[in-house]
Amino acid sequence: MMLVNSADPVIDANLAVALDALLAENSVTRAAARLHTSPAAMSRTLARLRRVLQDPLLVRAGQTMVPTPRAQALREEAAAVVRGLGELLSPGRGVDPATLRSTFTVQAADLVGAALAPGLLRLARREAPGVSFRLRAEELEAGPALRLGRIDLEVGAIDHADPETRVEELVSLRMMAAVRPGHPLTEAPLTPAALAAAEHVTVSRRGRFTGPLDTALAEHGLRRRVSVVLPGHLPAMTLAARSDLVCLVPAALPGATPSPLTDEATTLGLTLLEIPLTLPPLKMGMAWHPRHAADGAHHWLRGAVRRALNGTAGQAG
């Protein structure tokens, strides 16, 4: 219904709302109360409606007002228009995951992807069987990739400062030393000196040999020997399982729920040792573009990642 004529060419949704109230109440006073305005303002609106529609709409009959035939004909249409406006301008409803038919692209480091995938698949099979996942290595600059829609979500240590990106911290972890069974470091309590004397494999996409462990060792006047730098944790842990090299592995804080990020280390049979140094915690989070903030499907994805990464993927969402 277009509430316009040549004298009033602008569509005013407020007129539709007022018309619905007037025709439902058959009273200027009650319509004003319904819309939380004054009777005088509602009288002016009724006068405008009469000009627009070229019909009296409501006429006095004794102490009451009665609708004209045109008003009676418009009553249901006006109510439908207002209902439609309400649905159009109301917050988006959540989606039923069971109805989703989507492929989500998640960018994460190899160890994070390996930890996420089993939980995400369990959740998808149980809640959203039409969903599939594409996990990408950390090959794209996350800010532009999120903005351009090349990835839906970044998961890991979020180290870029993009004011446009939404970031949620998921879990705080610590680093532990991972060695093969029977490694010499397992024969006695681990000391900073013994840790520094061992050979190490480090993980860095940029090929860096040093990190927070080197800073902590330097405070004790120690320096470790890094024999090889690898771009991912999975090959580094595999190498540690087959040699005397030491690899750092993220694990849950003491007393916290075990992290799925240590599952691969367990599968490889690695022994995890407490590092006798103060290291900064490793904060894992996820980042996404604001255009997905209110999207129901993306909301399910973020919840699924949250549960998969904190080890509660076996629980109902």
Side-chain angles (χ1 to χ4, degrees):
M1 180 180 63
M2 295 182 63
L3 303 179
V4 299
N5 65 11
S6 59
D8 195 351
V10 178
I11 298 175
D12 188 346
N14 290 324
L15 282 182
V17 175
L19 179 63
D20 175 53
L22 286 163
L23 299 186
E25 300 292 345
N26 288 337
S27 165
V28 170
T29 301
R30 290 195 299 270
R34 178 171 171 167
L35 298 183
H36 307 289
T37 188
S38 68
M42 185 56 66
S43 292
R44 290 193 295 271
T45 301
L46 175 57
R48 186 180 174 195
L49 282 166
R50 285 168 169 164
R51 291 194 303 272
V52 169
L53 296 173
Q54 299 180 7
D55 188 271
L57 297 175
L58 294 176
V59 296
R60 187 160 298 282
Q63 298 298 314
T64 63
M65 300 190 79
V66 295
T68 65
R70 176 80 189 282
Q72 289 177 326
L74 290 174
R75 180 178 286 132
E76 290 187 8
E77 188 178 354
V81 167
V82 172
R83 285 195 301 271
L85 286 171
E87 292 175 1
L88 176 65
L89 300 176
S90 64
R93 297 190 180 97
V95 300
D96 179 1
T99 66
L100 291 178
R101 298 293 182 271
S102 303
T103 296
F104 294 116
T105 300
V106 179
Q107 179 164 291
D110 61 347
L111 182 61
V112 178
L116 277 176
L120 289 178
L121 289 175
R122 283 196 297 272
L123 289 167
R125 290 188 185 116
R126 187 172 71 231
E127 301 174 10
V131 163
S132 57
F133 303 96
R134 179 189 297 111
L135 271 74
R136 300 189 61 149
E138 294 177 302
E139 57 191 3
L140 300 175
E141 188 177 349
L146 290 167
R147 182 167 56 251
L148 296 173
R150 298 181 67 183
I151 60 176
D152 297 302
L153 199 65
E154 178 193 10
V155 182
I158 310 299
D159 58 1
H160 55 86
D162 186 345
E164 185 179 282
T165 302
R166 301 283 181 88
V167 178
E168 177 185 337
E169 184 178 318
L170 296 173
V171 65
S172 185
L173 304 168
R174 58 178 171 157
M175 301 304 289
M176 299 186 73
V179 296
R180 65 167 177 81
H183 191 284
L185 289 182
T186 64
E187 298 173 358
L190 186 61
T191 65
L195 183 61
E199 284 190 87
H200 292 254
V201 51
T202 67
V203 177
S204 172
R205 288 188 297 122
R206 300 177 176 88
R208 295 173 178 168
F209 277 76
T210 60
L213 177 58
D214 300 279
T215 302
L217 286 170
E219 293 176 356
H220 290 74
L222 299 169
R223 183 177 179 180
R224 64 172 175 163
R225 178 167 182 247
V226 175
S227 299
V228 60
V229 179
L230 293 176
H233 273 89
L234 294 180
M237 289 191 299
T238 301
L239 181 58
R242 297 175 179 175
S243 67
D244 280 344
L245 293 176
V246 179
C247 175
L248 298 187
V249 173
L253 296 175
T257 302
S259 171
L261 289 168
T262 59
D263 290 350
E264 294 299 322
T266 301
T267 300
L268 289 169
L270 292 170
T271 300
L272 299 185
L273 304 174
E274 296 278 356
I275 296 176
L277 297 163
T278 301
L279 298 179
L282 174 64
K283 296 187 181 297
M284 304 293 290
M286 58 182 170
W288 65 94
H289 193 270
R291 69 173 175 273
H292 294 305
D295 178 66
H298 202 276
H299 184 268
W300 180 86
L301 171 64
R302 298 196 300 272
V305 167
R306 194 179 296 117
R307 287 182 282 164
L309 198 58
N310 65 23
T312 60
Q315 303 174 14

